[in-house]
Structure formats: C-alpha cells, structure tokens
Amino acid sequence: MTDHDEGVSVLAKQGSITFVGNVANGVFGFAIVMLMTRFVSPSVYGLFVLATSVILFMQVFANLGLPLAIDYFVPQYLDDGENGKAKGVIVQVTGTVLVTSSLIAVALAVSASTIGEFFQEPSLGIALLLLSVTIPMLAIYNVLLTSYYSIKKLQYRVIMRDLVRPIVRFIVTAGLLLGGFGLLGLIGGYLVGLLVAITVGAVVFTYKAWQIVSAKVEFVAPGPLVRYSVPLAMTSVVYVLMGHVDYFLLGFYLDSDDVGIYRVGYMLGSALMIIFSSLAPVFKPLIAETRDDTALVQERFRVAARWIAGFTLPIAITLALGASSYLAVLYTPQYAEASAVVALLCAAFLFNVTFGGPDGTLLQGMGYARIVFVNTLVLFGANFVVSIVLIPIYGIEGAAIGSATALVLVGAMTLVELYYLDRVHPFTRDFGKIVFSGLPATIAGLPVVLFVNSDTLIVFVLPIVVLTVYCASLIATDAFTDNDAHMVAAFGPGVQKWLPAGLLNR
C-alpha cells in the first residue's frame, strides 16, 4: 500500500464518531419534534420556534464569535507543544463571553414584551423572558464544543451534544407535556437539557483534556484572536439571521402555525447536513494545520467533497421524492403541506454542503475569515430579498425558494473563490461518478412514489430502492478510490472486506 495522507484517516475516524453522534442527535431531535407536534398545536409549536430563533440570534452577539477562535488557534499551539497558550486562549474566550452574554441576556429580558408585541404574540414575550437565561448558558456550551473540536477528540462532544442534551431534553419535555404544561413544557425541556449537557461536558473536558487544564495558563495577545473572530462574529450574526429570517418573516406576514409547519419541513430538509456536520468539526482543524500546503489542502478537500456528496446524495433523493409521506408519517398529515419545502431545500443543501458548507468551513480553515463574512452577507441578502418578495405570494414555499436560492448562490461563490485564491477545486472524474450514480437511483425511486398508495409503505420501501440502485451504480462505474480504502480502513480492520476486490492494492 502506498503512502497516504494521515489526515484522511483522522478525518475518517473522527468523522465516523461525529456521524454516530449526529445520528443519535438527529433521532432524538426528530423524536422531540414528533412529541411536540402531537401534544401541542402548530401555533404553540410555532411560538416556541420563534422564541428559540430570537434566542439563537441574540446569542451570536453575546459570544462575539470568539469560540470560533478556539478551534483555529488551539490546534496550532498544541502542535507546537505550547499547552499553556492553548489554555490561555480557552480561558480568555470563556471569560469574555460570560460577560458579554450576561449583558445581552439582561437586555433581552427587558425588551421581551416589546418583541412579543412586534410579532403580535403576547405569549412570545413570556417565552423570551424565561429563555433569556439560556444566552450565557449557550455561550459556555459553544466554548465547550469548539474546545473539543480543537483537540480532535469529538467522541466527548458526542457525549455532551448528541447524547446527554437530547436525551435529557426529551425526557423532561415528555414529562412536562404529559403534565399539561404546553408551551412552558417545551421551554422547561430546553432549559434543563442545556444545563445538564453543560455540566457533563465541563466535567468530561476537565478529565479528558487534563494536559490543557493542568498547564500553567499563558495569556496570548488578544489582537490575533479579535482579528480572526470579529469577521466570523459578524458572519455568524448574518448566518444565524439567515437561518431564522424565514421564521421571522413568516411570523410577521402569516400566522404562528405557518411557522410551525415550515419549521418541520426545514428540519427534514436540513437532515442532509448530517454527513457534512460529521466531517466539518475535524475538517477545519485539519485544513488549518496545513493551510500553506495547497496541494494537501486540495487533496483533503476532494476526499471530503466526495464523501459528503456520496453519502448525502441518496438521502437527498429519498427525502425529495418521499417528502409528503415522511412528513405525514413522522409528524401528522397537516405537516405534509411542507413537502415542496423539503424538496427545494434538499437540492439546495446538497449543492451547498458539498462545496465548503453553509458556514464556509474550508475557507475558515484557510484563514479567509473576511471572505466568509462577505459570502454570508450575500447568503442573508439573497434569502431576505427573495423571501420578502415571495412569502406574501406563495407562503411557506416562498420562504423555501428564498433559502434555496441563497444556498446555491453562495455554494457557487465558494467554488469560484477557492479556485481564484488557491486554484483549489473538487472536480475530478471520480467525483463525477458519484454525481452520475444519483440519476439511476432517482429513476428507480419515482415508481415507488407514483404507484404505492400507502405513506407508511413508501417510508420503508423508498430508501431501500434508492440506496440499492445507488450502490449498484457506484460499483458498476468503479467509483471507489484508494483514498476511500484508507478512509474505510480507519473505521475498523473488518470493514475493508466490503470494498471491491483489488482496491487496496492500487
């Protein structure tokens, strides 16, 4: 076997860990929403979505983007053996975001009723008042997450984010809803789940990252931290606003039940993020470590792009074709109204996550923070303009068109920028085989949707048909490469036998 980039193995090992975590988190996330949609009306669920959207938007101002500096600077200090400076970055970021997030929380609590009046939903003001305490909690939560990213030990992040938080939230929410607490039950589950996750995450990080925790702290110059973080802070503001502007505009123009229905459709469509979000946390540090080696950056980008596209494509095909059935079975038939939303977002997310991700992970890792900020401004601007024009005409479908337009536009911009700046691109013959294999899978899935009358049967049969034909097409076109072999080998020694014969000897 020839020499290969060890970063590919790291990407596979840590990516597989986060994938398992994302699956668990996704299962519990869907379960929580299924629970909510069965115990409360779409209007109550829509109020909760609006409230948490405001919280997440305000929280970005609270942390100033500083947690994003952790997984950029800490890996570099650790690679140089400077554990004290790595600890210094984490301590400085933590102290700063605690102060700023507390101030933002107080400001939100004071203005909660005014925000409720703006959306003509008095109950929204009460929800925001109760949820304002989560802003400093979310700041610490994000510090812990990026700290795990920085040491590339994502199994501990999985414990905190993907297991503890959703499990606790589900149990508490279920108990409160069964007790008849309605909107207060949704809020209570959110609060308790976050608090327990932070507690467990802090204990685990202290124990597992003792080489950092026990080091003598060496504070670093704040200038580089701020220069790197501020553009990303503004990027995060715009990106989070972009992610929630649909809910704000729907809440302003339409009713809260439309917000709830759209939220369910958006969540199902964004399920395509599972593969990208599994690789992104370790992908950014891997790029940051080798950002001056353009050839190596391109190799890692191409491997990541092929794997993201390869695993995401059959999910996109399945959800786009069977959107109505999945919405009706997983939630209730009234949510099938969002089927067009799911189909549009599946296509847009597939394109966007393959070429750098919606938050510009590759560009961040290469140090192009300002370009990421500009891209995010375009993302928000396109979404806002298209949505504000189309929502009054087409309702939730207008919001979906706005999001899809923005995602595709920025994905295309990212491709152009990467090629212009460093001549980096993902397009190869092997990448083309991955994309081509989706065509026969789509053709095979269409009869299932058109001729099977049972939504439940479609939910179970469609993914089997799509995945079977897709895998057969990959094998027929010899779409596997030696890097795929090394990636698979990182999952475990017994997995290699499933690859086509002779691949490992190329």
Side-chain angles (χ1 to χ4, degrees), residues 82-95:
E82 297 179 304
N83 292 350
K85 289 185 178 180
K87 181 179 179 179
V89 171
I90 296 174
V91 171
Q92 287 170 258
V93 169
T94 302

Side-chain angles (χ1 to χ4, degrees), residues 99 123-124 146 181-182 220 305 322-323 341 365 379 384 412 439 443 500:
V99 173
S123 299
L124 178 62
T146 51
F181 285 94
V220 302
V341 171
L379 188 71
F384 182 79
L439 181 59
I443 295 172

Side-chain angles (χ1 to χ4, degrees), residues 184-459:
L184 292 178
L186 306 185
I187 294 171
Y190 189 89
L191 278 167
V192 176
L194 183 58
L195 178 61
V196 174
I198 291 171
T199 303
V200 172
V203 171
V204 172
F205 184 78
T206 301
Y207 178 68
K208 295 297 184 179
W210 187 246
Q211 77 279 10
I212 297 178
V213 176
S214 61
K216 182 179 179 181
V217 63
E218 296 180 50
F219 292 116
V220 302
L225 296 180
V226 173
R227 283 193 295 272
Y228 180 79
S229 300
V230 168
L232 294 180
M234 299 307 297
T235 297
S236 298
V237 169
V238 180
Y239 180 66
V240 171
L241 182 57
M242 181 269 169
H244 296 278
V245 68
D246 295 344
Y247 308 133
F248 297 148
L249 291 175
L250 286 170
F252 181 78
Y253 283 111
L254 306 176
D255 299 322
S256 57
D257 56 344
D258 293 301
V259 178
I261 292 171
Y262 179 79
R263 168 58 182 164
V264 168
Y266 191 96
M267 187 182 70
L268 188 60
S270 62
L272 270 67
M273 293 286 291
I274 188 170
I275 304 300
F276 168 79
S277 58
S278 298
L279 296 179
V282 69
F283 183 59
K284 178 182 171 182
L286 282 174
I287 295 299
E289 291 172 356
T290 60
R291 62 191 183 282
D292 295 325
D293 188 341
T294 303
L296 187 55
V297 166
Q298 174 158 274
E299 180 183 354
R300 291 179 174 181
F301 177 38
R302 287 178 172 177
V303 171
R306 288 185 69 258
W307 276 63
I308 291 170
F311 280 99
T312 303
L313 187 55
I315 302 174
I317 294 169
T318 301
L319 291 180
L321 291 178
S324 179
S325 297
Y326 280 98
L327 289 167
V329 171
L330 292 177
Y331 307 102
T332 56
Q334 61 186 324
Y335 288 96
E337 183 182 340
S339 58
V341 171
V342 175
L344 283 167
L345 292 176
C346 280
F349 273 117
L350 174 64
F351 183 84
N352 193 283
V353 299
T354 302
F355 305 122
D359 57 351
T361 300
L362 177 60
L363 289 169
Q364 285 186 37
M366 296 174 72
Y368 298 126
R370 290 179 176 81
I371 293 177
V372 175
F373 174 56
V374 172
N375 286 357
T376 311
L377 282 178
V378 173
L379 188 71
F380 168 71
N383 187 21
F384 182 79
V385 171
V386 175
S387 294
I388 205 169
V389 170
L390 296 184
I391 285 177
I393 303 173
Y394 299 110
I396 60 175
E397 286 81 7
I401 294 171
S403 292
T405 301
L407 288 168
V408 171
L409 176 61
V410 172
M413 287 177 61
T414 301
L415 279 175
V416 173
E417 289 158 355
L418 288 170
Y419 186 76
Y420 175 77
L421 293 168
D422 293 290
R423 292 298 186 265
V424 170
H425 67 87
F427 301 113
T428 62
R429 182 182 180 87
D430 293 318
F431 183 85
K433 294 176 181 178
I434 296 290
V435 176
F436 172 80
S437 296
L439 181 59
T442 303
I443 295 172
L446 280 172
V448 177
V449 177
L450 295 176
F451 300 113
V452 176
N453 295 323
S454 169
D455 285 329
T456 303
L457 194 58
I458 290 174
V459 166

